[in-house]
């Protein structure tokens, strides 16, 4: 057990860390919630700096952490608020590029160690893409340690100039049980009826309605599924800027697709589904992929980013941007229950090898140890 995982030595104050979160996607926000709870349980004082909306959803204070509202902005007022929150901290741990850059600004002139975790890759086009590369370089060259949740993120940090970049253990909370555990079949039938999938296959995709999610490719593939009997019902849970464009296509092309907005019952949706679909152009440790395998739902995903390492042989992988491959793979799985069962069993084995929340906290504590414990004189 790490020296920091128990009470502080006699006469010393407990370690104080500040966790900095930006707007926070589902993966990074859930990770910070889990990390805060694990650190507090081991005697570490934790302050989470995040927008107030994030605390409402993820309840950092309920995990035993102090929450300080810091807007998702790099304006002087937000940076000053973060700098004040970091005063007296033994170590600052920032999650995501924008939170990391704000932390670099807030810690300017201080010797407080900065740890950065990259959960995802920042995306932009044109001049903004150049600006993001400059921010990445500034962050990784300032951070004492950069943790990447996939090997390609670690490689990217090293290429950008990180002094110390490592693969992060990033365990999310384990399988979430649908609310109606007493009668799962009744709950499944109720959800399928709500989504218009009674007597027909139900295909679920979850994620923000942004360009990188590949939903244009999913709609292209859905055209082929109209020829099946019965026609599968495709459901996309999420909100984002592409909703009007996607809704227009669905209506104009009479596609068997429904946009159901942001949902808080993703485990229940997955438990009712025949297949889960992940069509992104890039992902690190996709929350949807993890929840699908936990829920024993066959997953069709794009072979991008950290997905192959995450799912191993427990998903059917297709090239990004290939609607024919996506459509064909789904058709074959719907007609092959034995293959679907193989994927369910492989998913259980794959998920058993993922880092646990305890292992994730232990790795982070070991990094904190390195950066805060006195070094013996040579």
């Amino acid at each position: 057990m790490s020296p920091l995982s128990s009470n502080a030595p006699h006469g010393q104050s407990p370690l104080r860390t500040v966790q900095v979160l930006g707007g926070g996607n589902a993966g990074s926000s859930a990770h910070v919630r889990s990390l805060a709870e694990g650190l507090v349980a081991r005697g570490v004082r934790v302050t989470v700096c995040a927008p107030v909306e994030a605390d409402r959803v993820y309840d950092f204070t309920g995990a035993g952490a102090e929450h300080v509202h810091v807007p998702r902005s790099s304006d002087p007022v937000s940076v000053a608020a973060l700098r004040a929150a970091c005063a007296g901290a033994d170590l600052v741990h920032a999650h995501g590029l924008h939170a990391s850059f704000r932390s670099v600004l807030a810690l300017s002139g201080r010797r407080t160690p900065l740890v950065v975790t990259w959960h995802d890759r920042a995306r932009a086009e044109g001049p903004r893409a150049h600006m993001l590369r400059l921010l990445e370089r500034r962050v990784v060259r300032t951070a004492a340690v950069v943790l990447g949740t996939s090997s390609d993120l670690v490689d990217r940090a090293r290429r950008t100039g990180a002094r110390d970049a490592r693969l992060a253990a990033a365990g999310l909370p384990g399988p979430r049980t649908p609310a109606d555990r007493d009668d799962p079949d009744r709950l499944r039938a109720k959800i399928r009826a709500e989504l218009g999938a009674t007597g027909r296959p139900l295909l679920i995709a979850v994620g923000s309605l942004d360009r990188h999610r590949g939903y244009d490719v999913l709609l292209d593939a859905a055209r082929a599924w109209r020829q099946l009997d019965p026609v599968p019902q495709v459901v996309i849970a999420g909100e984002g800027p592409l909703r009007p464009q996607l809704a227009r296509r669905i209506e104009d092309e009479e596609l068997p697709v429904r946009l159901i907005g942001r949902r808080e019952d993703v485990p229940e949706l997955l438990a009712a589904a025949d297949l889960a679909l992940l069509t992104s152009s890039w992902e690190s440790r996709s929350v949807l992929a993890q929840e699908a395998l936990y829920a024993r739902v066959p997953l069709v995903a794009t072979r991008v980013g950290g997905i192959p390492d995450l799912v191993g042989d427990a998903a059917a992988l297709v090239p990004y941007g290939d609607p024919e491959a996506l459509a064909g793979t789904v058709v074959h799985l719907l007609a092959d229950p034995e293959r679907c069962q193989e994927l369910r069993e492989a998913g259980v084995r794959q998920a058993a090898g993922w880092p646990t929340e305890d292992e994730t906290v232990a790795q982070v504590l070991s990094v904190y140890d390195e950066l805060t414990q006195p070094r013996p004189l040579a």
Side-chain angles (χ1 to χ4, degrees):
M1 182 175 288
S2 164
L4 297 181
S5 62
S6 57
N7 293 328
H10 180 70
Q12 293 186 20
S13 299
L15 185 81
R16 177 169 178 254
T17 72
V18 174
Q19 308 289 322
V20 185
L21 188 66
N25 61 32
S28 59
S29 299
H31 173 74
V32 171
R33 171 58 162 82
S34 172
L35 186 60
E37 187 169 31
L39 291 172
V40 168
R42 290 160 175 80
V44 179
R45 290 178 57 201
V46 178
T47 299
V48 177
C49 293
V52 67
E53 298 82 9
D55 187 51
R56 288 197 194 105
V57 174
Y58 292 94
D59 191 21
F60 304 118
T61 51
E66 175 190 6
H67 171 251
V68 175
H69 170 61
V70 176
R72 190 183 189 276
S73 170
S74 295
D75 63 75
V77 173
S78 297
V79 171
L82 181 57
R83 184 174 178 84
C86 293
D90 297 297
L91 181 142
V92 173
H93 189 164
H95 301 263
L97 177 60
H98 296 286
S100 301
F101 182 65
R102 284 196 294 282
S103 300
V104 168
L105 297 178
L107 294 175
S108 178
R110 294 180 179 172
R111 298 173 63 89
T112 310
L114 174 64
V115 176
V116 167
T117 296
W118 278 359
H119 298 267
D120 206 343
R121 189 175 69 189
R123 303 171 184 84
E125 299 175 358
R128 181 168 166 74
H130 177 67
M131 178 60 68
L132 287 179
R133 287 194 293 271
L134 294 178
L135 295 186
E136 285 183 347
R137 188 174 300 118
R138 174 80 179 274
V139 165
V140 301
R141 293 182 177 181
T142 303
V145 175
V146 178
L147 299 172
T149 58
S150 64
S151 56
D152 57 334
L153 284 176
V154 175
D155 292 341
R156 184 182 182 89
R158 288 171 178 161
R159 290 195 305 270
T160 308
R163 290 174 285 168
D164 186 342
R166 314 178 193 181
L167 186 64
L172 290 178
R176 291 195 281 163
T177 304
D180 193 349
R181 64 182 70 189
D182 293 332
D183 194 350
D185 291 336
R186 187 177 71 86
L187 178 61
R188 173 183 169 90
K190 177 182 176 182
I191 290 176
R192 291 176 72 93
E194 173 202 338
L195 300 177
T198 300
R200 58 197 291 204
L202 177 60
L203 316 181
I204 295 284
V206 181
S208 57
L209 306 184
D210 294 303
R211 195 165 304 281
H212 78 276
R213 297 290 183 183
Y215 292 139
D216 54 335
V217 179
L218 177 54
L219 296 193
D220 290 342
R223 282 202 294 261
W225 300 330
R226 291 180 304 187
Q227 311 306 316
L228 299 179
D229 184 17
V231 178
Q233 176 67 65
V234 182
V235 172
I236 302 175
E239 279 295 349
L242 291 187
R243 172 180 267 276
Q245 176 183 326
L246 296 173
R248 191 160 46 247
R249 274 198 64 187
I250 292 167
E251 181 178 0
D252 291 347
E253 300 174 33
E254 298 181 344
L255 300 175
V257 180
R258 287 184 61 182
L259 305 177
I260 62 172
R262 187 176 290 108
R263 299 283 291 242
E264 301 298 329
D265 59 345
V266 171
E268 288 83 356
L269 295 177
L270 285 171
D274 296 287
L275 296 177
L277 307 178
L278 179 62
T279 55
S280 303
S281 62
W282 194 91
E283 294 277 354
S284 177
R285 292 186 67 86
S286 161
V287 174
L288 173 62
Q290 294 176 73
E291 294 203 325
L293 268 60
Y294 278 141
R296 295 174 57 87
V297 178
L299 171 69
V300 180
T302 42
R303 189 183 288 105
V304 297
I307 294 299
D309 287 342
L310 178 66
V311 302
D313 63 355
L317 299 182
V318 298
Y320 169 71
D322 189 337
E324 290 80 15
L326 174 62
T329 299
V330 167
V331 169
H332 290 146
L333 284 177
L334 291 177
D336 191 348
E338 290 185 4
R339 175 60 179 149
C340 288
Q341 184 59 28
E342 289 174 359
L343 289 175
R344 292 186 189 97
E345 293 171 358
V348 172
R349 294 192 297 271
Q350 185 71 14
W354 290 338
T356 65
E357 291 180 87
D358 281 346
E359 289 167 343
T360 299
V361 174
Q363 185 205 39
V364 169
L365 279 171
S366 72
V367 173
Y368 293 178
D369 254 354
E370 292 178 31
L371 299 177
T372 61
Q373 295 298 311
R375 298 176 181 270
L377 296 175

